[in-house]
Amino acid sequence: MKKTDENDWKMKLLGIVGIWLVMGIIACAVIFVKSLREEGSLQQQVVAENVEKAGSLESAAASLPAFKKESGLSESEKLRNPLIVNHTGLVQVVTNMKGERLGVAQIIKLSEKDFDSITAKNLKDFWLECNFDGWEWVWILESNSEGNTGRALQITGNGSGARYGFINAFENAGIEFGQFYETVREFFYLSDENDFQYFNADDADDEGLKRFKDSDRVFAAKIN
């Protein structure tokens, strides 16, 4: 009888242990499922916030004027300027390396012929016409039937300066879009004079800052 009682006691103990194990497994499973749901809910919240931010920036871009109300230019001057004529309201969301949105940029696409034809007078008049307030950058891109060629002018600092050269201009480049491979020319805008100083970054014999003549082609390899 003693042996039987001992066996019964062991069976009861094993049963209790087994019940606690099952309950522990169930509790762990409940906690795991709950954490998955919370994580999924958090991810949905982050996605919703990102979508909301993107939407607000795009709506902000729509509300930002691309042109100033009064630039002083005549209609004929505007119509003869490829930079103004081809400014059709294209925009791009600007992000940093973390994917955080910084703002929006204006995009102006020119044919190879128009890009090469831009004179200092065209650029000065465009500077008078373009609204820089609230925009992160303004991009002037050379494009052809296959897409952007890589030649570009980036206007920065609310119109205080610009940088011309060769960039990563692939449409699907993401945050790599606009990364400069080669800088050819740096521009500094003199707002009091509506004029530019510039220097050629790729010219070893560069004599320092220069001034454009109105007829100079600003994207020419050499400017006399």
Side-chain angles (χ1 to χ4, degrees):
M1 291 293 295
K2 287 185 180 180
K3 190 160 187 173
T4 302
D5 291 341
E6 185 179 347
N7 288 337
D8 290 342
W9 180 82
K10 287 181 179 179
M11 291 297 295
K12 288 180 182 179
L13 181 61
L14 288 173
I16 292 170
V17 172
I19 291 170
W20 278 106
L21 284 174
V22 170
M23 290 179 65
I25 292 170
I26 292 173
C28 290
V30 170
I31 293 170
F32 179 70
V33 170
K34 185 178 179 182
S35 66
L36 284 178
R37 286 178 179 172
E38 289 176 352
E39 184 179 352
S41 176
L42 181 60
Q43 287 176 346
Q44 288 177 353
Q45 182 181 349
V46 170
V47 169
E49 288 174 356
N50 287 339
V51 169
E52 184 181 354
K53 287 179 183 178
S56 63
L57 277 171
E58 287 165 3
S59 62
S63 66
L64 283 172
F67 296 114
K68 296 172 184 172
K69 288 183 178 179
E70 293 294 335
S71 64
L73 297 178
S74 67
E75 288 303 314
S76 60
E77 284 177 308
K78 295 177 185 179
L79 291 173
R80 289 196 303 268
N81 192 327
L83 290 170
I84 296 174
V85 171
N86 288 282
H87 196 339
T88 57
L90 295 176
V91 298
Q92 179 191 49
V93 176
V94 179
T95 61
N96 61 17
M97 295 300 290
K98 296 179 180 178
E100 298 167 337
R101 288 171 170 78
L102 303 177
V104 284
Q106 302 178 52
I107 302 286
I108 302 163
K109 294 190 176 185
L110 301 178
S111 69
E112 293 168 300
K113 181 180 178 181
D114 282 341
F115 196 90
D116 285 328
S117 75
I118 298 302
T119 64
K121 176 70 164 60
N122 291 146
L123 196 59
K124 290 175 187 178
D125 286 351
F126 173 76
W127 230 270
L128 288 175
E129 181 74 3
C130 186
N131 173 51
F132 298 106
D133 292 336
W135 297 91
E136 191 72 20
W137 295 316
V138 177
W139 283 104
I140 298 169
L141 307 175
E142 181 190 56
S143 299
N144 57 28
S145 59
E146 297 179 357
N148 302 325
T149 67
R151 282 208 296 173
L153 179 76
Q154 180 195 47
I155 302 173
T156 60
N158 285 335
S160 62
R163 185 182 182 191
Y164 162 59
F166 297 89
I167 68 168
N168 181 349
F170 289 111
E171 300 288 355
N172 61 350
I175 60 175
E176 296 296 322
F177 179 91
Q179 179 180 348
F180 272 81
Y181 297 136
E182 178 185 352
T183 298
V184 176
R185 195 163 289 135
E186 298 272 3
F187 302 79
F188 305 96
Y189 184 63
L190 308 173
S191 57
D192 294 340
E193 304 176 42
N194 186 32
D195 200 359
F196 297 95
Q197 290 181 318
Y198 74 93
F199 71 90
N200 295 322
D202 64 343
D203 187 351
D205 300 321
D206 199 330
E207 297 177 357
L209 292 171
K210 303 177 178 65
R211 295 285 187 111
F212 287 112
K213 297 192 294 287
D214 279 356
S215 59
D216 284 338
R217 302 292 177 91
V218 296
F219 302 126
K222 297 292 180 183
I223 299 173
N224 296 324

